[in-house]
Amino acid sequence: MCVKIQRRQRYPILIYMLGFFLGIIYLNVASTRYVVDVGIWSEWFRSQYLGYDLKSCDYMWYVAQIRLLPAVGLAILGGTKFRRIAAYLFLLWAGLASGMILTSALLMLGVKGLILCVISMFPHFLCYIPAYAMLLLYLFRYPVSEWNSTKTLSFVLFLTMGIALECLVNPVLLKMFLRTL
């Protein structure tokens, strides 16, 4: 019984790593031309980003929509009998996106691109990771684990703080780093 539980705990990490590997493969094989032609790694985009002053309210609404859609979708699917499949698909998607982003950053800017990726995820991912970890742990441990009002409040607070940090702090950090490139 204990060995079966330990094996099951590895599956989420393996699914994420599979997505990460597939993202690297996809970018290197299928869409290298797309990365070179377009994207956030181009000099044009960086100069536009440095020259643009983000309007907090509009940007916050945009980020809130992007960040809340997967969270709400995963939470809704978590209430169905497909909760575990939804959690695995989410991890596969997150791994795929991570692999593609990090590979494109490395291809276009080298080590500076990897540093840019780390800075672009800071500090808001310090809030998003615990929020999603809480939700995913619940989905994988159901019915042993129960969702309650404390988890709901924590989840909402982590997402809200993440959105606020992404809109208010992250652009400042990104602009500071982009000026050094």
Side-chain angles (χ1 to χ4, degrees):
M1 179 73 168
C2 186
V3 173
K4 186 177 181 182
I5 291 171
Q6 287 177 350
R7 268 194 225 138
R8 243 192 256 167
Q9 289 175 348
R10 291 185 203 151
Y11 293 152
I13 294 168
L14 291 174
I15 294 295
Y16 177 84
M17 293 308 294
L18 173 66
F20 190 83
F21 180 71
L22 291 174
I24 292 170
I25 298 289
Y26 173 74
L27 202 74
N28 281 304
V29 173
S31 73
T32 303
R33 183 171 181 264
Y34 174 75
V35 173
V36 172
D37 291 344
V38 181
I40 62 173
W41 315 117
S42 70
E43 184 63 39
W44 178 84
F45 179 84
R46 290 193 303 264
S47 66
Q48 292 294 337
Y49 187 81
L50 285 171
Y52 189 72
D53 188 29
L54 294 173
K55 293 181 179 146
S56 301
C57 192
D58 294 340
Y59 184 56
M60 194 169 284
W61 176 245
Y62 170 75
V63 169
Q65 289 175 331
I66 288 174
R67 299 303 179 216
L68 292 176
L69 184 65
V72 170
L74 190 58
I76 289 171
L77 287 172
T80 69
K81 64 181 180 178
F82 303 110
R83 70 182 51 81
R84 194 165 283 180
I85 293 170
Y88 282 130
L89 287 174
F90 174 80
L91 286 172
L92 185 70
W93 168 73
L96 185 72
S98 300
M100 289 173 60
I101 289 169
L102 289 173
T103 302
S104 64
L106 189 61
L107 286 173
M108 297 306 294
L109 297 174
V111 175
K112 288 180 183 178
L114 294 178
I115 294 169
L116 179 61
C117 283
V118 170
I119 291 172
S120 69
M121 292 186 294
F122 186 79
H124 52 284
F125 264 68
L126 297 175
C127 294
Y128 293 149
I129 290 172
Y132 277 102
M134 186 183 332
L135 182 57
L136 289 168
L137 280 172
Y138 163 73
L139 296 177
F140 286 122
R141 292 184 178 168
Y142 180 85
V144 174
S145 177
E146 291 186 22
W147 194 262
N148 55 36
S149 59
T150 304
K151 288 180 183 176
T152 302
L153 180 62
S154 299
F155 183 72
V156 169
L157 282 174
F158 274 124
L159 284 178
T160 305
M161 287 179 0
I163 291 168
L165 288 171
E166 186 172 2
C167 294
L168 302 173
V169 176
N170 184 260
V172 174
L173 294 175
L174 272 176
K175 284 183 179 185
M176 285 171 45
F177 179 74
L178 288 174
R179 284 188 184 109
T180 66
L181 286 181

